[in-house]
Amino acid sequence: MSAIGSSRTSAEIASQPAVWRQAAASLPRQASALPRRGERVAVVGCGTSWFMAQSYAVLRETSGHGETDAFAASEFPVGRRYDRVLAITRSGTTTEVLDLLHRLKGTVATGAVTADPDTPVMRAADAVAVLDFADEESVVQTRFATANLALLRAHLESENALPAGVLPLDDAVRDAERAVSEPLDAAVPGAEQFTFLGTGWTCGLALEAALKMREAAGAWTEAYPAMEYRHGPISISGPGRVTWAFGRLPEGLAGDVDRVGGTLVADSTGVAGGLDPLADLIRAQRLAVVCAEARGHDPDRPRNLTRSVVLEDGRA
């Protein structure tokens, strides 16, 4: 199956290796918005940004850089003590994020990562990292999300705080170059159902892959921590249904998927595609576009979605 489609979303997906390099190169001018070593940090966002926040929180805490929690912006536990709150918002206009930053103003240090420097988040947060080179025309978010995680990984790497087993970003970029061009398994796009699994920091990636399939293709997708798969979710697996793992599979899980007739996206080492998990997310993004087009959907203009959720008067 071809690597690059004709949609704008496909072009933005294909640009990710170069965008990740640019994100890493921008680190010196972005660092003021990012957490300091030892700080107790909460990372917030909505939708895709929340899932990237979850992945970063695990990376940062397991690296020893500092205690880190992740919340949907609407569910932030106001009153809990943090040294810094970091918000991720592509548009810089999302109501829940802006409401939270305004509420926290003057009580805790706040930072944000955004794609648009001409939006209210620039005034709402104390410091802002701007990844304008990663902004997107498509409603479905792809490269801005991964550029965030690339920047945050580069920041941990610069402070010698990458967790054991997580690749340096240069290696992840090389894997991303493979991910944008390697053919997808022809049998996978025709599946009727997809379950994405993750472990540790890749749980957020699994949630994001499932969201991309729902947003772009309207597909039946679910996501779970990998060890939870046998605690119920495996009941829906079977012929014509795909289980896709980000990172290493728990022992015996490949055999369990095979036993019930499901299709497993993983290589012989138990690592899906043999790629860095963030690079493997690119393949899932590509799958979402392929499935969308096969179902007659426009991946650039998904149903029922807008680029940013802005609530009237700041309230639902």
Side-chain angles (χ1 to χ4, degrees):
M1 187 163 295
S2 61
I4 306 299
S6 59
S7 67
R8 181 61 194 168
T9 304
S10 292
E12 290 167 351
I13 290 171
S15 72
Q16 286 174 103
V19 167
W20 295 4
R21 286 195 177 94
Q22 200 166 350
S26 76
L27 178 59
R29 67 176 183 273
Q30 317 286 13
S32 64
L34 305 182
R36 280 61 164 164
R37 184 185 290 274
E39 288 183 329
R40 187 168 189 250
V41 172
V43 193
V44 301
C46 298
T48 288
S49 295
W50 175 35
F51 300 147
M52 295 301 101
Q54 290 180 47
S55 287
Y56 171 60
V58 177
L59 282 171
R60 182 173 185 264
E61 185 160 318
T62 57
S63 75
H65 200 259
E67 185 176 349
T68 317
D69 295 322
F71 301 99
S74 60
E75 297 298 320
F76 180 79
V78 176
R80 186 178 296 181
R81 187 194 64 79
Y82 289 100
D83 300 311
R84 183 177 304 272
V85 174
L86 178 67
I88 301 174
T89 169
R90 176 179 67 170
S91 69
T93 62
T94 303
T95 296
E96 298 100 302
V97 171
L98 294 177
D99 282 355
L100 177 61
L101 289 173
H102 287 308
R103 187 171 183 179
L104 296 176
K105 196 78 170 179
T107 66
V108 62
T110 59
V113 187
T114 190
D116 190 343
D118 298 316
T119 55
V121 75
M122 301 298 294
R123 299 181 297 277
D126 297 332
V128 182
V130 177
L131 305 183
D132 50 356
F133 52 85
D135 204 357
E136 298 156 321
E137 294 179 16
S138 178
V139 171
V140 174
Q141 190 177 154
T142 56
R143 72 181 181 189
F144 178 73
T146 61
N148 268 277
L149 208 48
L151 174 70
L152 294 166
R153 279 176 65 168
H155 183 238
L156 293 175
E157 187 176 348
S158 73
E159 301 203 344
N160 297 314
L162 274 184
V166 177
L167 295 175
L169 190 62
D170 280 348
D171 291 345
V173 171
R174 284 191 287 272
D175 280 355
E177 290 169 339
R178 287 176 51 201
V180 300
S181 59
E182 285 187 345
L184 297 172
D185 185 334
V188 172
E192 66 170 341
Q193 189 275 337
F194 302 84
T195 299
F196 296 94
L197 305 178
T199 303
W201 74 278
T202 71
C203 286
L205 303 185
L207 288 164
E208 171 60 7
L211 181 64
K212 288 290 90 71
M213 292 290 291
R214 287 192 290 270
E215 287 179 330
W220 174 18
T221 58
E222 302 182 11
Y224 303 94
M227 286 297 289
E228 286 297 305
Y229 189 56
R230 287 174 284 211
H231 292 271
I234 196 172
S235 63
I236 63 168
S237 188
R241 297 178 179 181
V242 167
T243 303
W244 183 311
F246 290 93
R248 190 164 298 278
L249 280 173
E251 185 176 354
L253 190 58
D256 291 338
V257 174
D258 182 67
R259 176 178 52 80
V260 297
T263 298
L264 179 67
V265 180
D267 67 15
S268 60
T269 66
V271 179
L275 299 170
D276 179 275
L278 188 59
D280 197 37
L281 180 59
I282 293 175
R283 297 199 310 143
Q285 293 169 345
R286 288 174 50 211
L287 175 65
V289 171
V290 169
C291 290
E293 292 173 343
R295 297 175 184 210
H297 301 318
D298 182 350
D300 293 342
R301 298 172 182 82
R303 297 177 300 176
N304 307 325
L305 295 178
T306 57
R307 176 179 163 85
S308 174
V309 176
V310 179
L311 303 177
E312 185 178 357
D313 296 326
R315 293 181 293 274

